[in-house]
Amino acid sequence: MHIDTSKAHPARVYDWLLGGKDNYPVDKAVGEKLPPEARDAARQNREFMHRAAAWLAMQGVDQFLDIGAGIPTEPNLHQVVQRIVPSAKVVYCDNDPIVLRHAEALLAGHPQGRTDYIQADVRRPAQIVEHARSVLDFERPIALSLIALMHFIPDDQDPYEIVRALLAALPQGSHLVLSHAASDLYPELAEQVTAEYAKGGIRLGFRTRGEVGRFFDGLDLLDPGLVTAPEWFKSPATTPSPEDSGIYAAVARIR
């Protein structure tokens, strides 16, 4: 397993932003140049994922496909959902080999459930779906989790086609859980973050609310709709503290 430590990687920069230790000087160098709000955004993404995954599990969803999973940070998605549905199945996917190093820990889910991992790139959706079919039942609803991933796919890499291809493989009643960095909420900060990542060799495609909304075309957006990450919650018991955010988030159901 070869890990390229000469170039920054989104999963490792994200790990640094979350206070993790599974990153290298090149990743830290990018993270240190980012504004403080970047750490808030990383935390807000994780908290949104926790709320959305838990709520879906409470609705009976017991299959999850998490693409762009990143380096494990407890509680990870399988820990959240298997506390609610011990028999839940979770397939993780990421394109950074360092995540593969942690796959053994990822696989240590609840004994009644199952967790699995594939090293693959979201830009090859057919490969991901083919592997996921060996674990998940594509005749029953699946929650597709794309947390803070698609803004790493610029427009010239067909981000909407990638998501459509993934959704096309899922049965009716499945869900899309997506968060995405905004270009229009705090434009100056967005430009600064994009520039610093570019210096580290990582291209970004932050998007407006309307552009993020296109990922949900043809789906039924669940309340509260497409909002900032801290604004997405389903019950008073899980209401986050109000705070500024440059992250859009939503959950939608496949008709």
Side-chain angles (χ1 to χ4, degrees), residues 15-26:
D15 177 72
W16 185 88
L17 290 170
L18 289 170
K21 298 179 180 179
D22 295 296
N23 50 76
Y24 295 94
V26 66

Side-chain angles (χ1 to χ4, degrees), residues 10-254:
R12 301 195 305 260
V13 176
Y14 192 56
D15 177 72
W16 185 88
L17 290 170
L18 289 170
K21 298 179 180 179
D22 295 296
N23 50 76
Y24 295 94
V26 66
D27 308 300
K28 180 181 178 182
V30 173
E32 287 181 331
K33 296 284 183 61
L34 298 176
E37 290 84 354
R39 288 194 173 197
D40 293 333
R43 172 183 52 79
Q44 291 166 354
N45 268 304
R46 293 293 295 182
E47 291 173 352
F48 162 68
M49 182 273 284
H50 292 161
R51 292 192 300 274
W55 183 80
L56 287 169
M58 287 187 285
Q59 307 313 302
V61 178
D62 62 356
Q63 300 190 107
F64 293 79
L65 175 56
D66 184 15
I67 304 177
I71 296 163
T73 303
E74 292 191 352
N76 223 44
L77 189 147
H78 73 282
Q79 294 167 320
V80 172
V81 301
Q82 289 178 353
R83 287 172 188 166
I84 300 166
V85 183
S87 59
K89 296 179 180 179
V90 178
V91 174
Y92 290 106
C93 173
D94 202 281
N95 70 344
D96 185 358
I98 197 173
V99 180
L100 181 62
R101 180 183 291 173
H102 295 274
E104 187 173 330
L106 284 174
L107 298 176
H110 195 283
Q112 294 180 35
R114 182 175 176 186
T115 55
D116 196 52
Y117 177 78
I118 174 176
Q119 183 179 326
D121 195 298
V122 71
R123 287 164 288 205
R124 300 183 65 185
Q127 178 188 1
I128 296 171
V129 170
E130 180 182 4
H131 177 90
R133 287 187 186 279
S134 67
V135 179
L136 306 178
D137 179 359
F138 276 68
E139 299 298 315
R140 297 194 303 108
I142 295 168
L144 170 63
S145 176
L146 302 175
I147 301 296
L149 173 63
M150 297 312 296
H151 52 244
F152 289 102
I153 310 297
D155 286 343
D156 61 2
Q157 296 178 4
D158 296 325
Y160 299 107
E161 286 301 318
I162 290 170
V163 174
R164 275 194 282 270
L166 291 166
L167 293 174
L170 303 182
Q172 182 180 8
S174 294
H175 292 81
L176 171 62
V177 181
L178 182 144
S179 65
H180 195 294
S183 63
D184 54 349
L185 291 174
Y186 302 97
E188 291 184 3
L189 281 175
E191 290 178 9
Q192 181 183 353
V193 170
T194 300
E196 293 302 338
Y197 268 98
K199 291 174 185 176
I202 299 172
R203 294 176 64 207
L204 291 177
F206 285 12
R207 296 183 170 93
T208 65
R209 187 178 187 279
E211 290 167 339
V212 175
R214 285 183 57 194
F215 288 112
F216 299 94
D217 283 354
L219 308 181
D220 292 329
L221 272 176
L222 305 183
D223 289 337
L226 180 58
V227 294
T228 64
E231 293 174 323
W232 198 97
F233 58 92
K234 298 296 287 184
S235 70
T238 60
T239 305
S241 299
E243 60 178 322
D244 293 335
S245 175
I247 301 294
Y248 287 120
V251 178
R253 187 177 186 273
I254 296 178

